[in-house]
Amino acid sequence: MPIHLPDIDTLSLVEQVSQMLVVRTCGMLYDHQIQYPQWELTSKQLQTLISDYGVGGVILLGGSAAEIALKTQQMQSSAKVPLLMAADIEEGVGQRFSGATWFPPPMALQDVGIDYAEAMGRVTAEEALAIGLNWVLAPIVDVNNNPSNPVINVRAFGVTVGEVMGATRGFIAGAKQYPVLTTAKHFPGHGDTAVDSHLQTPTLTHDRARFENLEFLPFSNAIAAGVDTIMSAHVFAPNLDPQNIATLSPHILTEILRDQLGFEGIITTDALIMSGVANLNSPEAIAVQAVKAGADILLMPVDPIATIEAVCAAVESGEISRDRIKQSVQRIWKAKQKVCGIPTDLTQLGKPENLEIAKEIATKSISVHSAIPHLQSGDTSKPKANYLNLIIVDDPLTCGEFLNSRSPAVLFPKNSGYHRIITDGQMIEHLQLKQFTDIFIQMFSRGNPFRGNTNLHTKTQTLANALLASERLEAMVVYGSPYALDPFLQILPANIPWGFAYSQQPEAQTAVLQKLGFG
């Protein structure tokens, strides 16, 4: 339905600058449920920024899809100007909000066909709109050509330009069937990094020709496909700009992205709370520099009110022109005319056909090499064996979304007489396993932001080699990143069964375990 937006010239400078901010809050309804108090605004703080300042949008994380539907309605009802409602839903709405469809990581499409990319974009947009989200912070168009990348990894569509470009076109075409914004990220490219920009600033030493022949191509492709917004990367590319990281670089955001690549949509920063940018200067100085560089939206500033005041002061001092602010607000107005004013509709969630698409991708993208011999009917070769299901995770405190007492990875081996131990990179070296004759390793590991390095993969390889030497490694499964699997394929003998799934969800666990002989 059409919405009314005020004439930009009738807005005060504070109101115009505020429209350039997207702030973060928790998706759950009550303040005592806030998960990250250093980043997520309380109801009172949020109300002040929406009603008094008029921020342009909100990014949400956590809670159920139904809670988000209610919360977006509440926020929109208190806003004088309709809000952009954003979420990082690269793997579908269910990745962040329970009850909706959760797809496997985008890289799984390379094993099932990029035709699924269109369905992934369509379902994600449909379900986002159903709960009041009108800005999809996807797709990632980085080319993950560095196996050591801790932050992009399986979030990318592939490891070659062609793979990424094909899936990107499909995803955007699917999403464009609904009035939502799409986002290509992270410009000028975050695929060939070995550092997590949530924790520190990565450096890309490529020359301009390399960027033009690889990293820039998926962004040009996304622009041609009609992407609405492009997100900057907190990376330092000295051969593009020897002074500034991309988020703060006029040369990268304005001269290259805006002028040379011809992007006319919204340029948004990545989250400004990330250490890759936040450690470089004060929040106020970073905000001013990002606007001068060409950013239209300041995403998740450390201190929203101080950010607004700093940008306004820069305008009043002449450091930033009023026309520059107006240009950004005009782009935001155009986006809001496209996507705001759509009522929520929870009946669009939980559609069997949408859930089935996610299940198809999860199950078709698995790989299994042979079955576990003793699980085959009639095998009595080890009557006195003592079996262990050894589950290895990145972090035991954050695996509840895919691992609990009812998960197939736990239940299936239990039903087959396996004992169970769950461990991580901190404890794996201290395990006492001598009493077990046959050990089945299941490792849940994928590239995830903020994790840092616990040397989990190296320590697991050491354990696997020791178990192979004592002939006690029965089988191995990796759920998550194919880069985590690759080293084990180099050491596993042909007679050792193994499995792999991009997805860590129950459907993928079941598919792999059944092919191994469980169930």
Side-chain angles (χ1 to χ4, degrees):
M1 63 182 67
I3 61 167
H4 172 71
L5 296 174
D7 186 311
I8 295 172
D9 292 330
T10 66
L11 300 181
S12 68
L13 178 60
V14 168
E15 289 172 325
Q16 290 184 24
V17 171
S18 296
Q19 281 295 316
M20 298 172 66
L21 268 67
V22 171
V23 297
R24 174 165 159 177
T25 193
C26 177
M28 291 178 251
L29 296 179
Y30 303 104
D31 286 348
H32 70 267
Q33 295 176 292
I34 287 175
Q35 304 285 303
Y36 303 96
Q38 71 273 39
W39 300 331
E40 295 175 344
L41 299 169
T42 64
S43 298
K44 184 177 180 180
Q45 291 170 326
L46 187 63
Q47 185 65 34
T48 296
L49 284 163
I50 292 174
S51 299
D52 297 349
Y53 286 85
V55 291
V58 179
I59 180 172
L60 298 111
L61 178 67
S64 69
E67 286 177 293
I68 296 300
L70 179 56
K71 192 149 189 173
T72 55
Q73 289 178 56
Q74 291 173 342
M75 289 187 285
Q76 292 287 18
S77 67
S78 62
K80 298 172 185 175
V81 176
L83 296 161
L84 294 177
M85 294 290 186
D88 265 314
I89 43 179
E90 300 154 5
E91 298 170 25
V93 176
Q95 178 190 9
R96 301 298 185 195
F97 312 113
S98 60
T101 304
W102 190 346
F103 291 98
M107 195 175 282
L109 297 185
Q110 295 308 321
D111 281 19
V112 299
I114 61 172
D115 290 347
Y116 280 98
E118 186 273 338
M120 195 172 174
R122 173 176 52 79
V123 173
T124 300
E126 177 186 25
E127 294 189 350
L129 209 59
I131 62 173
L133 300 174
N134 51 33
W135 188 1
V136 175
L137 295 177
I140 282 184
V141 304
D142 300 315
V143 180
N144 196 79
N145 50 9
N146 187 336
S148 300
N149 195 317
V151 63
I152 302 302
N153 208 287
V154 293
R155 296 166 61 201
F157 280 124
V159 299
T160 69
V161 170
E163 290 172 345
V164 171
M165 287 173 62
T168 295
R169 287 193 299 270
F171 186 96
I172 293 173
K176 282 170 73 73
Q177 297 175 35
Y178 294 87
V180 300
L181 302 181
T182 53
T183 310
K185 53 190 191 182
H186 308 79
F187 191 80
H190 206 319
D192 195 6
T193 59
V195 169
D196 181 358
S197 54
H198 293 83
L199 303 176
Q200 59 189 101
T201 307
T203 296
L204 289 169
T205 58
H206 310 314
D207 60 21
R208 175 65 187 260
R210 155 63 190 257
F211 276 102
E212 290 180 345
N213 291 323
L214 201 155
E215 277 82 6
F216 289 174
L217 293 178
F219 289 95
S220 295
N221 172 69
I223 293 168
V227 76
D228 301 284
T229 68
I230 291 181
M231 179 180 288
S232 69
H234 302 323
V235 299
F236 181 50
N239 288 318
L240 297 183
D241 185 332
Q243 272 84 44
N244 302 295
I245 68 167
T247 296
L248 307 180
S249 169
H251 179 66
I252 293 174
L253 295 190
T254 298
E255 293 179 27
I256 295 178
L257 179 55
R258 187 72 79 196
D259 298 338
Q260 295 171 20
L261 299 188
F263 180 57
E264 297 179 353
I266 289 174
I267 297 175
T268 179
T269 69
D270 202 345
L272 294 177
I273 53 89
M274 292 166 59
S275 296
V277 64
N279 289 349
L280 301 179
N281 210 325
S282 69
E284 296 86 348
I286 286 168
V288 170
Q289 182 59 31
V291 173
K292 290 170 66 177
D296 300 301
I297 285 184
L298 304 172
L299 180 65
M300 290 175 59
V302 174
D303 185 334
I305 293 176
T307 295
I308 294 167
E309 292 173 346
V311 176
C312 287
V315 174
E316 289 166 346
S317 71
E319 186 178 359
I320 298 173
S321 72
R322 287 182 178 266
D323 281 347
R324 169 68 191 83
I325 301 299
K326 185 175 180 179
Q327 288 169 7
S328 288
V329 180
Q330 286 172 333
R331 294 187 187 104
I332 294 166
W333 255 222
K334 183 178 179 180
K336 291 189 172 187
Q337 287 286 6
K338 174 181 175 179
V339 304
C340 290
I342 312 295
T344 59
D345 183 2
L346 289 175
T347 65
Q348 300 304 306
L349 296 182
K351 287 183 176 180
E353 59 268 33
N354 291 348
L355 298 171
E356 183 60 29
I357 293 169
K359 183 178 180 180
E360 284 183 19
I361 298 172
T363 56
K364 288 183 178 181
S365 60
I366 68 167
S367 301
V368 175
H369 168 69
S370 73
I372 297 174
H374 98 267
L375 295 175
Q376 307 310 299
S377 58
D379 188 317
T380 57
S381 59
K382 293 186 175 182
K384 295 183 179 180
N386 192 14
Y387 297 104
L388 174 66
N389 174 24
L390 178 60
I391 298 174
I392 302 172
V393 298
D394 284 318
D395 184 349
L397 299 179
T398 60
C399 61
E401 292 174 327
F402 56 84
L403 199 60
N404 57 51
S405 61
R406 301 174 303 283
S407 299
V410 173
L411 204 55
F412 284 22
K414 178 182 178 182
N415 292 342
S416 294
Y418 284 68
H419 300 277
R420 182 186 75 240
I421 293 176
I422 299 178
T423 190
D424 64 0
Q426 303 294 331
M427 296 302 299
I428 192 170
E429 297 171 300
H430 306 290
L431 296 175
Q432 299 297 317
L433 304 176
K434 291 181 180 179
Q435 69 270 36
F436 301 106
T437 60
D438 295 78
I439 298 176
F440 171 42
I441 293 178
Q442 297 187 84
M443 182 166 73
F444 290 80
S445 182
R446 52 171 288 181
N448 279 313
F450 291 107
R451 283 271 157 79
N453 186 11
T454 62
N455 293 316
L456 176 69
H457 298 171
T458 300
K459 293 175 181 178
T460 304
Q461 290 168 44
T462 300
L463 174 62
N465 276 315
L467 294 177
L468 284 169
S470 60
E471 299 184 348
R472 292 188 298 147
L473 181 61
E474 182 182 48
M476 180 159 191
V477 175
V478 173
Y479 303 96
S481 172
Y483 304 114
L485 172 70
D486 287 345
F488 296 99
L489 295 184
Q490 297 175 22
I491 64 172
L492 290 178
N495 65 318
I496 300 293
W498 59 266
F500 171 74
Y502 287 94
S503 172
Q504 298 179 331
Q505 298 307 304
E507 296 85 358
Q509 296 174 29
T510 296
V512 170
L513 293 170
Q514 285 180 340
K515 285 203 169 188
L516 286 172
F518 290 97

